[in-house]
Amino acid sequence: MKDKKFTIPDGYTSDIAVFTITSESQGEYKPPIKKLKIMLIKRSKQDHEGNQNMEAGKWALPGGFVRPGETAFQAAERKLLEETGVDRLRIKHFGIYDSPNRDPRGWIISNAHYVIANEAALKNRKQTYDASDIQLFTMEEALELDLAFDHRQIIDDAIWFIKKDMALTTLAKHFLPEEFVLSELQGVLLTVLDDPSIATDAAFFRKSPTLPFLEVVSENGKPKKSNRYSKTPAQLYRFNEFQPIVSVYRNKLKG
Amino acid sequence: MKDKKFTIPDGYTSDIAVFTITSESQGEYKPPIKKLKIMLIKRSKQDHEGNQNMEAGKWALPGGFVRPGETAFQAAERKLLEETGVDRLRIKHFGIYDSPNRDPRGWIISNAHYVIANEAALKNRKQTYDASDIQLFTMEEALELDLAFDHRQIIDDAIWFIKKDMALTTLAKHFLPEEFVLSELQGVLLTVLDDPSIATDAAFFRKSPTLPFLEVVSENGKPKKSNRYSKTPAQLYRFNEFQPIVSVYRNKLKG
DNA sequence: GGAATAGTGTCTCTTAGACACTATGCT
DNA sequence: AGCATAGTGTCTAAGAGACACTATTCC
């Protein structure tokens, strides 16, 4: 770079809020209790190159510096794998944090991403040189921790984006297996949304089959059912590619 | 900064897509023709400090380098004022562009923002040292220009965000005067959205008064009317603070 | 009266929401 | 049979969409 008349940042990082929904079994033929959780790492004393780590001992979002030749997005993919052993997840950028004093090391710009991990995908998470511990926390737990940098703010914002995307898009599909039963979908939605049309069984079971982005699963021309969460076999559904669009000028509203 | 083990970007910039809706009068007592336009600047040969400017002569989004002690957001406000003389507008961040080869000068990270400018606010726009020309373009015109850097992509994305926010939020209010008539709102929405419930007069005029984020304007206890666009006086409305929320699991959908 | 914009009356069909009811299969 | 989950029947009230109609004002 020839022209240095302007000032350049001291660092460019990517942080990732990894969300999952855990299922706690309530016994056979019962739907499990689902909870939204976020994965955080405990920052170790040194990074994997032997340098002292800032904010060691505090809980933080996985993430780190973007390398040259990389976009923040690619860095997020790489760091997620490096720090947690988690791979092949959809990453979505949702914000940028560039306040000059957010990091004591200098002017560090952070890209915030969120990711939905199927609970199973997190099973092979591991400790790394950068993280002395990795754990899942509920939203309430996470916001009470002593968090590094401005990660509390980032997590707050991430939660808001998850809720918004859950209501406005078919995001829920990333929390579910390919084929699922309506009570599973209901459980996922209820971890984040609070709406009578979802919480009321009669309403939800009647409405769901008409949703254009859901379709029933068939096998040999017969509707495919599962009794994994109930004694009565329940219809299996899957998401199709339909991208719903809503508008405040068309529909009934909630404020 | 003591630790330089990682690589730092060569620059950090803010770009702003300034949108406005122009009104072309069709004569007295007629609603004007409204069009969504974007303000672009023609990059001059030198910047205001006398340095050679990259991509001179091409059309580009207003924007520039973020200064130390500044966030990208604050830089967007400052550059908008510097380059266009436009002030006091709401700026919204919508994306980040950090591909390593997007700018020939090096690894330049750009924050993309959009802004809604009332047409009147753009009236005092001016040429500056950085911009040899400033003009408004329709979306079709803008996407046919020879645009600097990856600004075509950024503009494409900005259009998508404007459409989304227009449908999902009360964004339309920033394109309208404080008090407005339903046909004005309809005109604004139709520049971006295409929906029978908006385009059909009977449907739109019946639905609008029930929208919770709109309220009728009164004066001395009487409904306040205007005949600026019609011979028959039309009711004036304003937006209130209601923030509508929609969900794909509740409402009728469009794909 | 004619033209143009701003609405309203009325009808039909669909949907939301509530509540009671049936269906299935394990123990 | 009892229990828990998965639905359906039926009613009511509200809303969407279509089409014709009225209302106001200027010329």
Side-chain angles (χ1 to χ4, degrees), chain A residues 28-29 197 202 206-207 227 231-233 252:
Chain A
E28 271 206 305
Y29 304 116
S197 69
R206 191 189 308 275
K207 173 83 175 183
N227 62 340
K231 293 166 184 170
T232 64
K252 219 184 293 186

Side-chain angles (χ1 to χ4, degrees), chain B residues 172-196:
Chain B
K173 80 171 132 191
H174 302 301
F175 285 109
L176 289 165
E178 181 69 18
E179 300 178 356
F180 55 88
V181 129
L182 288 184
S183 67
E184 286 182 277
L185 172 59
Q186 187 185 29
V188 165
L189 296 175
L190 288 177
T191 63
V192 165
L193 305 176
D194 177 29
D195 190 301

Side-chain angles (χ1 to χ4, degrees), chain B residues 106-177:
Chain B
W107 188 28
I108 310 280
I109 297 159
S110 172
N111 279 280
H113 304 79
Y114 76 75
V115 129
I116 308 304
N118 198 291
E119 195 183 3
L122 291 186
K123 279 287 155 53
N124 69 336
R125 66 186 188 265
K126 61 178 185 195
Q127 262 101 292
T128 65
Y129 291 101
D130 291 357
S132 65
D133 196 3
I134 299 183
Q135 242 176 266
L136 294 177
F137 298 93
T138 65
M139 298 309 106
E140 300 72 37
E141 288 163 359
L143 294 175
E144 278 177 7
L145 294 172
D146 184 18
L147 294 165
F149 311 115
D150 54 358
H151 286 192
R152 190 181 203 290
Q153 179 65 49
I154 299 178
I155 292 171
D156 251 344
D157 294 349
I159 294 169
W160 193 84
F161 273 89
I162 285 276
K163 290 188 181 184
K164 189 176 67 88
D165 287 351
M166 193 79 95
L168 290 177
T169 75
T170 54
L171 179 71
K173 80 171 132 191
H174 302 301
F175 285 109
L176 289 165

Side-chain angles (χ1 to χ4, degrees), chain B residues 28-29 197 202 206-207 227 231-233 252:
Chain B
E28 271 204 304
Y29 303 117
S197 70
R206 192 189 309 273
K207 172 83 176 184
N227 64 338
K231 293 165 184 168
T232 66
K252 218 185 294 185

Side-chain angles (χ1 to χ4, degrees), chain A:
Chain A
M1 189 104 188
K2 290 166 194 164
D3 188 340
K4 290 268 188 186
K5 289 264 164 75
F6 43 83
T7 315
I8 56 183
D10 296 318
Y12 187 50
T13 69
S14 256
D15 290 315
I16 313 107
V18 183
F19 289 95
T20 194
I21 292 187
T22 59
S23 291
E24 189 189 331
S25 177
Q26 292 295 100
E28 271 206 305
Y29 304 116
K30 279 176 186 293
I33 291 179
K34 289 180 181 290
K35 276 186 189 149
L36 180 68
K37 299 213 174 161
I38 185 168
M39 184 180 75
L40 298 176
I41 65 170
K42 193 166 198 168
R43 292 175 69 87
S44 51
K45 295 232 170 74
Q46 306 177 352
D47 68 14
H48 58 283
E49 286 169 348
N51 305 304
Q52 282 301 111
N53 229 342
M54 285 298 304
E55 305 258 33
K58 291 191 179 179
W59 289 94
L61 297 167
F65 288 95
V66 179
R67 288 182 184 161
E70 222 180 31
T71 63
F73 194 85
Q74 291 160 343
E77 289 181 320
R78 177 176 55 77
K79 293 302 292 190
L80 195 58
L81 181 58
E82 276 179 24
E83 297 193 343
T84 70
V86 166
D87 196 5
R88 300 179 156 283
L89 301 166
R90 283 186 194 220
I91 298 182
K92 186 173 166 189
H93 182 270
F94 72 83
I96 183 118
Y97 297 83
D98 64 350
S99 167
N101 49 11
R102 62 176 289 278
D103 189 313
R105 288 169 295 189
W107 187 28
I108 310 281
I109 297 159
S110 171
N111 278 280
H113 303 79
Y114 77 73
V115 128
I116 308 304
N118 198 291
E119 194 183 3
L122 290 186
K123 279 287 156 50
N124 70 337
R125 65 185 188 268
K126 61 179 184 194
Q127 262 102 290
T128 64
Y129 291 100
D130 292 356
S132 65
D133 196 4
I134 299 182
Q135 242 176 267
L136 294 178
F137 298 93
T138 65
M139 298 309 108
E140 300 72 38
E141 288 163 359
L143 294 176
E144 278 176 7
L145 295 172
D146 183 20
L147 293 165
F149 310 116
D150 55 357
H151 286 191
R152 188 181 204 291
Q153 179 64 48
I154 299 178
I155 292 171
D156 251 344
D157 294 349
I159 294 170
W160 193 84
F161 273 89
I162 284 275
K163 291 188 179 183
K164 189 176 67 86
D165 287 351
M166 194 79 95
L168 291 177
T169 75
T170 54
L171 179 71
K173 83 170 130 191
H174 302 300
F175 286 108
L176 290 166
E178 181 70 18
E179 300 179 356
F180 55 89
V181 128
L182 288 185
S183 67
E184 286 182 277
L185 172 60
Q186 187 185 30
V188 165
L189 296 176
L190 287 178
T191 63
V192 164
L193 305 176
D194 177 30
D195 190 300
S197 69
I198 295 170
T200 310
D201 286 350
F204 188 75
F205 281 91
R206 191 189 308 275
K207 173 83 175 183
S208 294
T210 74
L211 292 173
F213 49 84
L214 291 183
E215 59 189 36
V216 304
V217 181
S218 295
E219 204 174 34
N220 306 325
K222 295 277 167 198
K224 189 173 172 190
K225 310 215 170 192
S226 159
N227 62 340
R228 59 183 128 168
Y229 295 130
S230 63
K231 293 166 184 170
T232 64
Q235 177 63 50
L236 285 167
Y237 287 82
R238 70 163 76 90
F239 279 90
N240 62 26
E241 293 308 306
F242 188 94
Q243 298 291 350
I245 297 176
V246 289
S247 158
V248 297
Y249 297 97
R250 280 174 62 91
N251 302 125
K252 219 184 293 186
L253 308 173
K254 257 191 74 180

Side-chain angles (χ1 to χ4, degrees), chain B residues 34 55 73 81 89 136 158 217 231 237 241:
Chain B
K34 288 179 181 292
E55 304 259 34
F73 194 85
L81 181 58
L89 301 166
L136 294 177
V217 181
K231 293 165 184 168
Y237 288 83
E241 294 308 307

